[in-house]
Amino acid sequence: AAILTVYSDEIADAIAQYLAPRIEGRTVVEVGGGIGLLAMHMAQYAKRVYCIEANPMWSWTFAALLLAKKPKNLSYLFGAADEFVGRIRGGVALFCTHSDKQGMKRLGEMFADEVIDIYGEIIDRNQGKFSELFRKLREIA
């Protein structure tokens, strides 16, 4: 799970704060939103957030929180991302996973002109903190 979804409230908040200057007042499409925690935090800054997740089983344990605290500017869309192409559009699309980085980027490009690979950016900006092996493994994950 640690490589597939953001599952810590503190990490979700830190990532949302990191993205805030780039998403504030904009429509965001999160591809592969997992349990939806990051989307909830991004909704504090973005005009609108669409969180797309192909497998709704990610959210079932999180459902009570989603129902109790989901802001009105946040929509969860359960299904393959390509099902929503042409139906929603954002100013920015993003993904926060180490799996299928290239596939996620291609999907993001279907929803917005700007696509952010969150973990990729963090790794690139902190060169000395991640080993070369980690970088190579991320390319094939």
Side-chain angles (χ1 to χ4, degrees):
I3 65 163
L4 297 176
T5 190
V6 176
Y7 61 90
S8 160
D9 201 45
E10 292 80 19
I11 291 172
D13 184 53
I15 292 170
Q17 286 182 39
Y18 167 80
L19 292 169
R22 293 162 67 190
I23 66 172
E24 197 159 9
R26 298 175 78 188
T27 297
V28 176
V29 179
E30 182 183 10
V31 179
I35 64 173
L37 188 57
L38 178 57
M40 285 187 68
H41 283 270
M42 289 190 299
Q44 295 175 62
Y45 304 100
K47 176 182 174 184
R48 176 125 216 29
V49 176
Y50 293 103
C51 178
I52 304 172
E53 176 54 53
N55 186 351
M57 293 305 291
W58 273 108
S59 296
W60 77 271
T61 57
F62 203 54
L65 180 63
L66 295 177
L67 291 170
K69 297 191 175 189
K70 185 191 88 56
K72 290 184 182 232
N73 66 330
L74 171 58
S75 296
Y76 291 96
L77 306 172
F78 296 116
D82 60 2
E83 293 176 40
F84 301 103
V85 172
R87 294 182 178 173
I88 61 170
R89 185 88 181 142
V92 61
L94 55 85
F95 59 96
C96 194
T97 184
H98 294 297
S99 94
D100 191 17
K101 183 181 105 170
Q102 294 303 320
M104 298 296 261
K105 184 173 189 249
R106 282 191 301 274
L107 285 168
E109 290 169 344
M110 295 181 191
F111 296 102
D113 292 332
E114 180 183 354
V115 179
I116 302 170
D117 168 6
I118 297 167
Y119 287 155
E121 276 193 13
I122 292 169
I123 292 166
D124 288 346
R125 290 183 181 182
N126 296 281
Q127 294 282 329
K129 295 184 180 179
F130 298 93
S131 72
E132 187 61 30
L133 175 61
F134 176 80
R135 291 171 192 278
K136 288 180 180 176
L137 289 173
R138 188 167 189 272
E139 292 302 318
I140 60 172

